[in-house]
Amino acid sequence: TYVVIENCIACKYTDCVEVCPVDCFYEGENMLVIHPDECIDCGVCEPECPADAIRPDTEPDMEKWVEFNRKYSESW
Ligand code: SF4
């Protein structure tokens, strides 16, 4: 899965939401999140983010961000 990290907080762009083929972006309290079970790992959103806030969970220390993204995407 891909996840959104804190770089998203000040970002006002939603280009990622528009390109996602499965609509798995949700609004958290002050940033967007990705539902980890709905993301199909296509990677299309990553280069669209001007804040470099979208990362694959294969990067180091992403577990807390996967849980964060899950928590806020499931509150809908
Ligand atoms: Fe959506 Fe693909 Fe990005 Fe996952 S990797 S959030 S499916 S655009």
Side-chain angles (χ1 to χ4, degrees), residues 23-71:
D23 282 335
C24 62
F25 281 92
Y26 295 85
E27 278 191 53
E29 283 182 359
N30 54 8
M31 56 179 272
L32 296 174
V33 292
I34 292 170
H35 195 306
D37 298 336
E38 294 176 3
C39 174
I40 58 171
D41 252 353
C42 70
V44 169
C45 56
E46 188 182 17
E48 299 297 327
C49 178
D52 197 21
I54 302 174
R55 307 290 176 80
D57 73 342
T58 50
E59 284 189 7
D61 301 321
M62 283 292 151
E63 292 86 359
K64 72 167 182 167
W65 286 110
V66 173
E67 288 319 304
F68 181 95
N69 278 246
R70 181 184 301 283
K71 177 178 171 197

mmCIF file of all heavy atoms in Angstrom, residues 23-71:
data_model
loop_
_atom_site.group_PDB
_atom_site.id
_atom_site.type_symbol
_atom_site.label_atom_id
_atom_site.label_comp_id
_atom_site.label_asym_id
_atom_site.label_seq_id
_atom_site.Cartn_x
_atom_site.Cartn_y
_atom_site.Cartn_z
ATOM 1 N N ASP A 23 -10.410 5.521 -5.818
ATOM 2 C CA ASP A 23 -10.961 6.481 -4.845
ATOM 3 C C ASP A 23 -10.697 6.100 -3.395
ATOM 4 O O ASP A 23 -11.617 6.095 -2.570
ATOM 5 C CB ASP A 23 -12.485 6.615 -5.030
ATOM 6 C CG ASP A 23 -12.817 7.495 -6.214
ATOM 7 O OD1 ASP A 23 -11.974 8.337 -6.572
ATOM 8 O OD2 ASP A 23 -13.912 7.331 -6.773
ATOM 9 N N CYS A 24 -9.447 5.802 -3.085
ATOM 10 C CA CYS A 24 -9.178 5.367 -1.715
ATOM 11 C C CYS A 24 -8.547 6.453 -0.846
ATOM 12 O O CYS A 24 -8.015 6.167 0.221
ATOM 13 C CB CYS A 24 -8.354 4.099 -1.704
ATOM 14 S SG CYS A 24 -6.725 4.244 -2.435
ATOM 15 N N PHE A 25 -8.631 7.712 -1.294
ATOM 16 C CA PHE A 25 -8.203 8.814 -0.427
ATOM 17 C C PHE A 25 -9.368 9.270 0.440
ATOM 18 O O PHE A 25 -10.521 9.327 -0.014
ATOM 19 C CB PHE A 25 -7.709 10.000 -1.268
ATOM 20 C CG PHE A 25 -6.310 9.824 -1.782
ATOM 21 C CD1 PHE A 25 -6.094 9.252 -3.020
ATOM 22 C CD2 PHE A 25 -5.215 10.220 -1.022
ATOM 23 C CE1 PHE A 25 -4.796 9.084 -3.499
ATOM 24 C CE2 PHE A 25 -3.921 10.056 -1.487
ATOM 25 C CZ PHE A 25 -3.715 9.484 -2.737
ATOM 26 N N TYR A 26 -9.053 9.600 1.697
ATOM 27 C CA TYR A 26 -10.063 10.099 2.626
ATOM 28 C C TYR A 26 -9.495 11.306 3.341
ATOM 29 O O TYR A 26 -8.274 11.492 3.372
ATOM 30 C CB TYR A 26 -10.426 9.013 3.656
ATOM 31 C CG TYR A 26 -11.084 7.816 3.013
ATOM 32 C CD1 TYR A 26 -10.311 6.806 2.456
ATOM 33 C CD2 TYR A 26 -12.467 7.731 2.936
ATOM 34 C CE1 TYR A 26 -10.913 5.709 1.832
ATOM 35 C CE2 TYR A 26 -13.066 6.648 2.324
ATOM 36 C CZ TYR A 26 -12.288 5.642 1.769
ATOM 37 O OH TYR A 26 -12.889 4.575 1.151
ATOM 38 N N GLU A 27 -10.359 12.110 3.927
ATOM 39 C CA GLU A 27 -9.882 13.269 4.665
ATOM 40 C C GLU A 27 -9.668 12.927 6.120
ATOM 41 O O GLU A 27 -10.591 12.479 6.802
ATOM 42 C CB GLU A 27 -10.888 14.419 4.551
ATOM 43 C CG GLU A 27 -10.722 15.177 3.257
ATOM 44 C CD GLU A 27 -11.531 16.462 3.245
ATOM 45 O OE1 GLU A 27 -11.383 17.264 4.183
ATOM 46 O OE2 GLU A 27 -12.306 16.630 2.298
ATOM 47 N N GLY A 28 -8.442 13.151 6.608
ATOM 48 C CA GLY A 28 -8.163 13.029 8.025
ATOM 49 C C GLY A 28 -8.434 14.359 8.698
ATOM 50 O O GLY A 28 -9.094 15.231 8.127
ATOM 51 N N GLU A 29 -7.915 14.551 9.909
ATOM 52 C CA GLU A 29 -8.212 15.797 10.620
ATOM 53 C C GLU A 29 -7.601 17.013 9.932
ATOM 54 O O GLU A 29 -8.218 18.056 9.841
ATOM 55 C CB GLU A 29 -7.714 15.697 12.067
ATOM 56 C CG GLU A 29 -8.650 14.858 12.920
ATOM 57 C CD GLU A 29 -8.206 14.772 14.370
ATOM 58 O OE1 GLU A 29 -7.164 15.356 14.716
ATOM 59 O OE2 GLU A 29 -8.907 14.121 15.144
ATOM 60 N N ASN A 30 -6.380 16.899 9.484
ATOM 61 C CA ASN A 30 -5.747 18.049 8.819
ATOM 62 C C ASN A 30 -4.896 17.625 7.629
ATOM 63 O O ASN A 30 -4.045 18.370 7.157
ATOM 64 C CB ASN A 30 -4.895 18.853 9.818
ATOM 65 C CG ASN A 30 -3.877 17.977 10.533
ATOM 66 O OD1 ASN A 30 -3.706 16.819 10.176
ATOM 67 N ND2 ASN A 30 -3.209 18.526 11.514
ATOM 68 N N MET A 31 -5.124 16.435 7.151
ATOM 69 C CA MET A 31 -4.400 15.932 5.982
ATOM 70 C C MET A 31 -5.181 14.792 5.354
ATOM 71 O O MET A 31 -6.126 14.281 5.947
ATOM 72 C CB MET A 31 -2.999 15.452 6.383
ATOM 73 C CG MET A 31 -3.006 14.382 7.480
ATOM 74 S SD MET A 31 -1.350 13.804 7.913
ATOM 75 C CE MET A 31 -1.149 12.467 6.707
ATOM 76 N N LEU A 32 -4.785 14.433 4.153
ATOM 77 C CA LEU A 32 -5.434 13.307 3.503
ATOM 78 C C LEU A 32 -4.808 12.005 3.976
ATOM 79 O O LEU A 32 -3.673 11.978 4.450
ATOM 80 C CB LEU A 32 -5.271 13.415 1.985
ATOM 81 C CG LEU A 32 -5.936 14.619 1.328
ATOM 82 C CD1 LEU A 32 -5.559 14.674 -0.142
ATOM 83 C CD2 LEU A 32 -7.448 14.567 1.491
ATOM 84 N N VAL A 33 -5.544 10.920 3.839
ATOM 85 C CA VAL A 33 -5.011 9.592 4.144
ATOM 86 C C VAL A 33 -5.455 8.627 3.047
ATOM 87 O O VAL A 33 -6.392 8.909 2.301
ATOM 88 C CB VAL A 33 -5.491 9.064 5.520
ATOM 89 C CG1 VAL A 33 -4.887 9.870 6.660
ATOM 90 C CG2 VAL A 33 -7.018 9.054 5.614
ATOM 91 N N ILE A 34 -4.760 7.507 2.983
ATOM 92 C CA ILE A 34 -5.091 6.445 2.024
ATOM 93 C C ILE A 34 -5.577 5.235 2.811
ATOM 94 O O ILE A 34 -4.956 4.849 3.810
ATOM 95 C CB ILE A 34 -3.840 6.056 1.202
ATOM 96 C CG1 ILE A 34 -3.444 7.205 0.272
ATOM 97 C CG2 ILE A 34 -4.071 4.774 0.409
ATOM 98 C CD1 ILE A 34 -2.088 7.012 -0.414
ATOM 99 N N HIS A 35 -6.663 4.632 2.374
ATOM 100 C CA HIS A 35 -7.112 3.400 3.032
ATOM 101 C C HIS A 35 -6.191 2.258 2.585
ATOM 102 O O HIS A 35 -6.163 1.908 1.400
ATOM 103 C CB HIS A 35 -8.557 3.075 2.652
ATOM 104 C CG HIS A 35 -9.165 2.043 3.556
ATOM 105 N ND1 HIS A 35 -8.563 0.817 3.770
ATOM 106 C CD2 HIS A 35 -10.283 2.060 4.302
ATOM 107 C CE1 HIS A 35 -9.305 0.127 4.614
ATOM 108 N NE2 HIS A 35 -10.349 0.866 4.958
ATOM 109 N N PRO A 36 -5.444 1.678 3.528
ATOM 110 C CA PRO A 36 -4.437 0.680 3.144
ATOM 111 C C PRO A 36 -5.005 -0.579 2.508
ATOM 112 O O PRO A 36 -4.296 -1.258 1.754
ATOM 113 C CB PRO A 36 -3.726 0.333 4.459
ATOM 114 C CG PRO A 36 -4.275 1.223 5.503
ATOM 115 C CD PRO A 36 -5.488 1.915 4.979
ATOM 116 N N ASP A 37 -6.253 -0.911 2.800
ATOM 117 C CA ASP A 37 -6.832 -2.116 2.198
ATOM 118 C C ASP A 37 -7.457 -1.848 0.837
ATOM 119 O O ASP A 37 -7.684 -2.771 0.058
ATOM 120 C CB ASP A 37 -7.897 -2.722 3.118
ATOM 121 C CG ASP A 37 -7.320 -3.152 4.444
ATOM 122 O OD1 ASP A 37 -6.097 -3.412 4.503
ATOM 123 O OD2 ASP A 37 -8.075 -3.197 5.425
ATOM 124 N N GLU A 38 -7.741 -0.591 0.558
ATOM 125 C CA GLU A 38 -8.363 -0.259 -0.728
ATOM 126 C C GLU A 38 -7.330 0.107 -1.788
ATOM 127 O O GLU A 38 -7.578 -0.024 -2.983
ATOM 128 C CB GLU A 38 -9.358 0.892 -0.538
ATOM 129 C CG GLU A 38 -10.540 0.487 0.334
ATOM 130 C CD GLU A 38 -11.495 1.646 0.626
ATOM 131 O OE1 GLU A 38 -11.270 2.753 0.113
ATOM 132 O OE2 GLU A 38 -12.449 1.410 1.385
ATOM 133 N N CYS A 39 -6.180 0.590 -1.352
ATOM 134 C CA CYS A 39 -5.104 0.956 -2.284
ATOM 135 C C CYS A 39 -4.633 -0.272 -3.049
ATOM 136 O O CYS A 39 -4.360 -1.314 -2.456
ATOM 137 C CB CYS A 39 -3.942 1.563 -1.503
ATOM 138 S SG CYS A 39 -2.479 1.896 -2.493
ATOM 139 N N ILE A 40 -4.558 -0.150 -4.369
ATOM 140 C CA ILE A 40 -4.125 -1.286 -5.191
ATOM 141 C C ILE A 40 -2.662 -1.161 -5.605
ATOM 142 O O ILE A 40 -2.192 -1.874 -6.487
ATOM 143 C CB ILE A 40 -5.018 -1.445 -6.448
ATOM 144 C CG1 ILE A 40 -4.994 -0.155 -7.292
ATOM 145 C CG2 ILE A 40 -6.446 -1.809 -6.051
ATOM 146 C CD1 ILE A 40 -5.673 -0.301 -8.663
ATOM 147 N N ASP A 41 -1.948 -0.237 -4.950
ATOM 148 C CA ASP A 41 -0.495 -0.149 -5.162
ATOM 149 C C ASP A 41 -0.109 0.238 -6.582
ATOM 150 O O ASP A 41 0.949 -0.175 -7.061
ATOM 151 C CB ASP A 41 0.159 -1.511 -4.846
ATOM 152 C CG ASP A 41 0.962 -1.477 -3.557
ATOM 153 O OD1 ASP A 41 1.121 -0.382 -2.992
ATOM 154 O OD2 ASP A 41 1.436 -2.541 -3.140
ATOM 155 N N CYS A 42 -0.942 1.004 -7.237
ATOM 156 C CA CYS A 42 -0.626 1.332 -8.633
ATOM 157 C C CYS A 42 0.481 2.371 -8.745
ATOM 158 O O CYS A 42 1.168 2.453 -9.750
ATOM 159 C CB CYS A 42 -1.876 1.806 -9.359
ATOM 160 S SG CYS A 42 -2.455 3.436 -8.820
ATOM 161 N N GLY A 43 0.630 3.209 -7.700
ATOM 162 C CA GLY A 43 1.706 4.197 -7.705
ATOM 163 C C GLY A 43 1.431 5.465 -8.493
ATOM 164 O O GLY A 43 2.282 6.343 -8.575
ATOM 165 N N VAL A 44 0.255 5.576 -9.078
ATOM 166 C CA VAL A 44 -0.055 6.735 -9.920
ATOM 167 C C VAL A 44 -0.045 8.046 -9.136
ATOM 168 O O VAL A 44 0.350 9.091 -9.652
ATOM 169 C CB VAL A 44 -1.430 6.528 -10.606
ATOM 170 C CG1 VAL A 44 -1.909 7.803 -11.279
ATOM 171 C CG2 VAL A 44 -1.347 5.413 -11.626
ATOM 172 N N CYS A 45 -0.458 7.996 -7.889
ATOM 173 C CA CYS A 45 -0.571 9.213 -7.092
ATOM 174 C C CYS A 45 0.774 9.780 -6.657
ATOM 175 O O CYS A 45 0.916 10.994 -6.472
ATOM 176 C CB CYS A 45 -1.403 8.951 -5.842
ATOM 177 S SG CYS A 45 -0.759 7.605 -4.813
ATOM 178 N N GLU A 46 1.763 8.948 -6.496
ATOM 179 C CA GLU A 46 3.020 9.374 -5.885
ATOM 180 C C GLU A 46 3.669 10.562 -6.603
ATOM 181 O O GLU A 46 3.994 11.567 -5.967
ATOM 182 C CB GLU A 46 3.979 8.190 -5.780
ATOM 183 C CG GLU A 46 5.218 8.516 -4.974
ATOM 184 C CD GLU A 46 6.201 7.356 -4.920
ATOM 185 O OE1 GLU A 46 6.095 6.425 -5.741
ATOM 186 O OE2 GLU A 46 7.082 7.407 -4.051
ATOM 187 N N PRO A 47 3.844 10.502 -7.925
ATOM 188 C CA PRO A 47 4.475 11.653 -8.595
ATOM 189 C C PRO A 47 3.582 12.885 -8.684
ATOM 190 O O PRO A 47 4.067 13.981 -8.984
ATOM 191 C CB PRO A 47 4.811 11.108 -9.997
ATOM 192 C CG PRO A 47 3.890 9.961 -10.207
ATOM 193 C CD PRO A 47 3.616 9.387 -8.847
ATOM 194 N N GLU A 48 2.279 12.731 -8.413
ATOM 195 C CA GLU A 48 1.359 13.873 -8.489
ATOM 196 C C GLU A 48 1.440 14.757 -7.257
ATOM 197 O O GLU A 48 0.965 15.895 -7.270
ATOM 198 C CB GLU A 48 -0.087 13.380 -8.629
ATOM 199 C CG GLU A 48 -0.364 12.563 -9.870
ATOM 200 C CD GLU A 48 -0.165 13.374 -11.146
ATOM 201 O OE1 GLU A 48 -0.430 14.588 -11.120
ATOM 202 O OE2 GLU A 48 0.272 12.776 -12.142
ATOM 203 N N CYS A 49 2.008 14.249 -6.175
ATOM 204 C CA CYS A 49 2.000 15.002 -4.917
ATOM 205 C C CYS A 49 3.103 16.049 -4.897
ATOM 206 O O CYS A 49 4.288 15.716 -4.914
ATOM 207 C CB CYS A 49 2.177 14.043 -3.742
ATOM 208 S SG CYS A 49 2.236 14.921 -2.160
ATOM 209 N N PRO A 50 2.736 17.357 -4.824
ATOM 210 C CA PRO A 50 3.757 18.401 -4.826
ATOM 211 C C PRO A 50 4.510 18.487 -3.504
ATOM 212 O O PRO A 50 5.563 19.108 -3.429
ATOM 213 C CB PRO A 50 2.955 19.681 -5.094
ATOM 214 C CG PRO A 50 1.585 19.389 -4.623
ATOM 215 C CD PRO A 50 1.373 17.913 -4.792
ATOM 216 N N ALA A 51 3.991 17.844 -2.454
ATOM 217 C CA ALA A 51 4.618 17.909 -1.137
ATOM 218 C C ALA A 51 5.447 16.663 -0.830
ATOM 219 O O ALA A 51 5.985 16.531 0.259
ATOM 220 C CB ALA A 51 3.544 18.091 -0.065
ATOM 221 N N ASP A 52 5.539 15.754 -1.793
ATOM 222 C CA ASP A 52 6.278 14.500 -1.592
ATOM 223 C C ASP A 52 5.771 13.755 -0.349
ATOM 224 O O ASP A 52 6.548 13.233 0.445
ATOM 225 C CB ASP A 52 7.783 14.795 -1.469
ATOM 226 C CG ASP A 52 8.630 13.542 -1.685
ATOM 227 O OD1 ASP A 52 8.143 12.583 -2.302
ATOM 228 O OD2 ASP A 52 9.780 13.515 -1.197
ATOM 229 N N ALA A 53 4.464 13.763 -0.174
ATOM 230 C CA ALA A 53 3.863 13.199 1.035
ATOM 231 C C ALA A 53 3.340 11.778 0.851
ATOM 232 O O ALA A 53 2.867 11.173 1.798
ATOM 233 C CB ALA A 53 2.713 14.091 1.501
ATOM 234 N N ILE A 54 3.409 11.250 -0.363
ATOM 235 C CA ILE A 54 2.878 9.908 -0.602
ATOM 236 C C ILE A 54 4.040 8.941 -0.796
ATOM 237 O O ILE A 54 4.868 9.125 -1.674
ATOM 238 C CB ILE A 54 1.953 9.892 -1.835
ATOM 239 C CG1 ILE A 54 0.803 10.878 -1.628
ATOM 240 C CG2 ILE A 54 1.431 8.477 -2.084
ATOM 241 C CD1 ILE A 54 -0.090 11.034 -2.849
ATOM 242 N N ARG A 55 4.083 7.949 0.069
ATOM 243 C CA ARG A 55 5.215 7.023 0.070
ATOM 244 C C ARG A 55 4.723 5.581 0.087
ATOM 245 O O ARG A 55 3.690 5.282 0.690
ATOM 246 C CB ARG A 55 6.074 7.239 1.323
ATOM 247 C CG ARG A 55 6.535 8.660 1.548
ATOM 248 C CD ARG A 55 7.569 9.084 0.523
ATOM 249 N NE ARG A 55 7.921 10.490 0.723
ATOM 250 C CZ ARG A 55 8.785 10.913 1.654
ATOM 251 N NH1 ARG A 55 9.376 10.060 2.452
ATOM 252 N NH2 ARG A 55 9.039 12.204 1.775
ATOM 253 N N PRO A 56 5.494 4.675 -0.525
ATOM 254 C CA PRO A 56 5.161 3.253 -0.408
ATOM 255 C C PRO A 56 5.474 2.760 1.005
ATOM 256 O O PRO A 56 6.418 3.261 1.630
ATOM 257 C CB PRO A 56 6.096 2.588 -1.430
ATOM 258 C CG PRO A 56 7.224 3.542 -1.633
ATOM 259 C CD PRO A 56 6.679 4.923 -1.353
ATOM 260 N N ASP A 57 4.705 1.816 1.499
ATOM 261 C CA ASP A 57 4.947 1.348 2.871
ATOM 262 C C ASP A 57 6.183 0.460 2.954
ATOM 263 O O ASP A 57 6.531 -0.032 4.032
ATOM 264 C CB ASP A 57 3.714 0.637 3.439
ATOM 265 C CG ASP A 57 3.477 -0.733 2.830
ATOM 266 O OD1 ASP A 57 4.039 -1.021 1.750
ATOM 267 O OD2 ASP A 57 2.725 -1.514 3.431
ATOM 268 N N THR A 58 6.844 0.251 1.839
ATOM 269 C CA THR A 58 8.092 -0.520 1.840
ATOM 270 C C THR A 58 9.275 0.324 2.294
ATOM 271 O O THR A 58 10.357 -0.202 2.531
ATOM 272 C CB THR A 58 8.367 -1.073 0.432
ATOM 273 O OG1 THR A 58 8.246 -0.011 -0.519
ATOM 274 C CG2 THR A 58 7.390 -2.168 0.080
ATOM 275 N N GLU A 59 9.075 1.630 2.425
ATOM 276 C CA GLU A 59 10.142 2.461 2.978
ATOM 277 C C GLU A 59 10.293 2.165 4.473
ATOM 278 O O GLU A 59 9.351 1.695 5.109
ATOM 279 C CB GLU A 59 9.819 3.958 2.783
ATOM 280 C CG GLU A 59 10.031 4.426 1.360
ATOM 281 C CD GLU A 59 9.916 5.933 1.201
ATOM 282 O OE1 GLU A 59 9.800 6.655 2.209
ATOM 283 O OE2 GLU A 59 9.936 6.381 0.046
ATOM 284 N N PRO A 60 11.462 2.456 5.057
ATOM 285 C CA PRO A 60 11.669 2.158 6.482
ATOM 286 C C PRO A 60 10.723 2.933 7.397
ATOM 287 O O PRO A 60 10.364 4.076 7.089
ATOM 288 C CB PRO A 60 13.120 2.597 6.730
ATOM 289 C CG PRO A 60 13.755 2.706 5.390
ATOM 290 C CD PRO A 60 12.660 3.006 4.413
ATOM 291 N N ASP A 61 10.338 2.315 8.491
ATOM 292 C CA ASP A 61 9.569 2.968 9.559
ATOM 293 C C ASP A 61 8.223 3.516 9.102
ATOM 294 O O ASP A 61 7.787 4.589 9.521
ATOM 295 C CB ASP A 61 10.391 4.098 10.196
ATOM 296 C CG ASP A 61 11.692 3.588 10.777
ATOM 297 O OD1 ASP A 61 11.676 2.484 11.362
ATOM 298 O OD2 ASP A 61 12.721 4.273 10.646
ATOM 299 N N MET A 62 7.546 2.791 8.245
ATOM 300 C CA MET A 62 6.250 3.251 7.747
ATOM 301 C C MET A 62 5.084 2.645 8.525
ATOM 302 O O MET A 62 3.939 3.020 8.298
ATOM 303 C CB MET A 62 6.104 2.905 6.262
ATOM 304 C CG MET A 62 6.868 3.828 5.353
ATOM 305 S SD MET A 62 6.146 5.488 5.363
ATOM 306 C CE MET A 62 7.582 6.460 5.016
ATOM 307 N N GLU A 63 5.374 1.733 9.462
ATOM 308 C CA GLU A 63 4.271 1.047 10.158
ATOM 309 C C GLU A 63 3.328 2.030 10.832
ATOM 310 O O GLU A 63 2.114 1.896 10.769
ATOM 311 C CB GLU A 63 4.801 0.073 11.224
ATOM 312 C CG GLU A 63 5.530 -1.129 10.663
ATOM 313 C CD GLU A 63 7.012 -0.862 10.391
ATOM 314 O OE1 GLU A 63 7.467 0.280 10.626
ATOM 315 O OE2 GLU A 63 7.701 -1.786 9.943
ATOM 316 N N LYS A 64 3.891 3.035 11.505
ATOM 317 C CA LYS A 64 3.021 3.979 12.223
ATOM 318 C C LYS A 64 2.153 4.775 11.239
ATOM 319 O O LYS A 64 1.020 5.121 11.543
ATOM 320 C CB LYS A 64 3.825 4.919 13.113
ATOM 321 C CG LYS A 64 4.631 5.962 12.362
ATOM 322 C CD LYS A 64 5.142 7.058 13.278
ATOM 323 C CE LYS A 64 5.891 8.095 12.450
ATOM 324 N NZ LYS A 64 6.174 9.318 13.153
ATOM 325 N N TRP A 65 2.688 5.015 10.045
ATOM 326 C CA TRP A 65 1.895 5.755 9.061
ATOM 327 C C TRP A 65 0.813 4.886 8.443
ATOM 328 O O TRP A 65 -0.264 5.377 8.114
ATOM 329 C CB TRP A 65 2.797 6.378 7.989
ATOM 330 C CG TRP A 65 3.524 7.552 8.544
ATOM 331 C CD1 TRP A 65 4.853 7.652 8.820
ATOM 332 C CD2 TRP A 65 2.932 8.806 8.937
ATOM 333 N NE1 TRP A 65 5.129 8.885 9.359
ATOM 334 C CE2 TRP A 65 3.977 9.611 9.435
ATOM 335 C CE3 TRP A 65 1.638 9.314 8.910
ATOM 336 C CZ2 TRP A 65 3.751 10.909 9.915
ATOM 337 C CZ3 TRP A 65 1.412 10.592 9.383
ATOM 338 C CH2 TRP A 65 2.455 11.372 9.879
ATOM 339 N N VAL A 66 1.090 3.602 8.299
ATOM 340 C CA VAL A 66 0.042 2.701 7.813
ATOM 341 C C VAL A 66 -1.112 2.693 8.814
ATOM 342 O O VAL A 66 -2.286 2.820 8.432
ATOM 343 C CB VAL A 66 0.574 1.265 7.600
ATOM 344 C CG1 VAL A 66 -0.571 0.321 7.255
ATOM 345 C CG2 VAL A 66 1.629 1.239 6.505
ATOM 346 N N GLU A 67 -0.792 2.606 10.104
ATOM 347 C CA GLU A 67 -1.839 2.596 11.125
ATOM 348 C C GLU A 67 -2.591 3.928 11.172
ATOM 349 O O GLU A 67 -3.805 3.971 11.332
ATOM 350 C CB GLU A 67 -1.256 2.264 12.502
ATOM 351 C CG GLU A 67 -0.853 0.810 12.638
ATOM 352 C CD GLU A 67 -1.870 -0.144 12.002
ATOM 353 O OE1 GLU A 67 -3.053 -0.094 12.379
ATOM 354 O OE2 GLU A 67 -1.478 -0.928 11.117
ATOM 355 N N PHE A 68 -1.843 5.012 11.024
ATOM 356 C CA PHE A 68 -2.459 6.345 11.016
ATOM 357 C C PHE A 68 -3.421 6.480 9.832
ATOM 358 O O PHE A 68 -4.567 6.928 9.988
ATOM 359 C CB PHE A 68 -1.356 7.409 10.930
ATOM 360 C CG PHE A 68 -1.865 8.826 10.937
ATOM 361 C CD1 PHE A 68 -1.937 9.538 12.122
ATOM 362 C CD2 PHE A 68 -2.261 9.435 9.751
ATOM 363 C CE1 PHE A 68 -2.401 10.852 12.116
ATOM 364 C CE2 PHE A 68 -2.728 10.752 9.751
ATOM 365 C CZ PHE A 68 -2.795 11.452 10.935
ATOM 366 N N ASN A 69 -2.969 6.060 8.662
ATOM 367 C CA ASN A 69 -3.823 6.153 7.472
ATOM 368 C C ASN A 69 -5.054 5.275 7.627
ATOM 369 O O ASN A 69 -6.158 5.654 7.255
ATOM 370 C CB ASN A 69 -3.029 5.751 6.219
ATOM 371 C CG ASN A 69 -2.183 6.882 5.663
ATOM 372 O OD1 ASN A 69 -2.424 7.374 4.560
ATOM 373 N ND2 ASN A 69 -1.195 7.347 6.416
ATOM 374 N N ARG A 70 -4.863 4.078 8.216
ATOM 375 C CA ARG A 70 -5.995 3.178 8.423
ATOM 376 C C ARG A 70 -7.012 3.797 9.385
ATOM 377 O O ARG A 70 -8.214 3.817 9.127
ATOM 378 C CB ARG A 70 -5.504 1.833 8.978
ATOM 379 C CG ARG A 70 -6.614 0.824 9.213
ATOM 380 C CD ARG A 70 -6.091 -0.445 9.841
ATOM 381 N NE ARG A 70 -5.077 -1.100 9.022
ATOM 382 C CZ ARG A 70 -5.339 -1.825 7.932
ATOM 383 N NH1 ARG A 70 -6.582 -2.015 7.544
ATOM 384 N NH2 ARG A 70 -4.371 -2.373 7.240
ATOM 385 N N LYS A 71 -6.492 4.337 10.481
ATOM 386 C CA LYS A 71 -7.379 4.895 11.507
ATOM 387 C C LYS A 71 -8.283 5.991 10.933
ATOM 388 O O LYS A 71 -9.492 5.989 11.148
ATOM 389 C CB LYS A 71 -6.528 5.460 12.642
ATOM 390 C CG LYS A 71 -7.324 6.136 13.734
ATOM 391 C CD LYS A 71 -6.419 6.637 14.845
ATOM 392 C CE LYS A 71 -7.232 7.508 15.809
ATOM 393 N NZ LYS A 71 -6.350 8.334 16.638
#
